[in-house]
Amino acid sequence: QVHLAESGGGSVLAGGSVRLSCVISGYTLSSPCMGWFRQVPGKERGGVALIYTENGRKFYADSVKGRFTISQENAKRTMYQEMNNVTPDDTAIYYCAGETERGPTSGWNGCGVGYWGQGTQVTVSS
């Protein structure tokens, strides 16, 4: 059974930094694609950052390019998202997500996710 557990959210001032972590367990896939998604009330959940763990290839939403960095630590089966220079528009619940399918038309940037963590709130105040 796949289990994803996020941590690291909280309150931060605009211009500050936040680091999210996601501990991954139970995957039968040796190298799943994994990502961070976020959601605010009244809006759909959307992709923020994605990594293909077999080769480290990364994708970012335009709104976070140059500010957010996704990374992995395979030995600890952990994924991270470093969020720098945050703004109030980054306020959301952030979810760690894992692959259930992949392909040219799958999900976001070819990674279809079906496993989700419980989410962690990030609140940015000005």
Side-chain angles (χ1 to χ4, degrees):
Q1 183 177 357
V2 177
H3 183 66
L4 308 176
E6 304 100 334
S7 61
S11 297
V12 61
L13 293 176
S17 298
V18 176
R19 190 191 197 204
L20 305 182
S21 301
C22 175
V23 178
I24 306 155
S25 62
Y27 246 116
T28 56
L29 294 172
S30 60
S31 299
C33 53
M34 304 287 301
W36 291 96
F37 291 71
R38 67 186 180 187
Q39 189 170 23
V40 297
K43 292 188 177 181
E44 290 188 359
R45 192 175 299 183
V48 177
L50 182 74
I51 186 167
Y52 281 85
T53 59
E54 68 267 26
N55 57 21
R57 190 176 183 192
K58 303 174 184 178
F59 296 89
Y60 296 96
D62 288 342
S63 60
V64 306
K65 282 181 181 176
R67 300 188 299 119
F68 290 13
T69 302
I70 188 171
S71 62
Q72 59 180 6
E73 189 170 0
N74 289 337
K76 295 184 178 181
R77 296 291 277 178
T78 303
M79 180 176 68
Y80 304 98
Q81 177 167 272
E82 186 75 29
M83 304 165 55
N84 296 317
N85 194 25
V86 295
T87 74
D89 287 341
D90 296 319
T91 295
I93 299 175
Y94 284 76
Y95 297 90
C96 171
E99 174 184 355
T100 50
E101 65 175 16
R102 66 168 66 184
T105 61
S106 295
W108 186 53
N109 290 297
C111 181
V113 296
Y115 297 116
W116 298 92
Q118 80 282 1
T120 184
Q121 175 73 45
V122 174
T123 302
V124 183
S125 56
S126 57

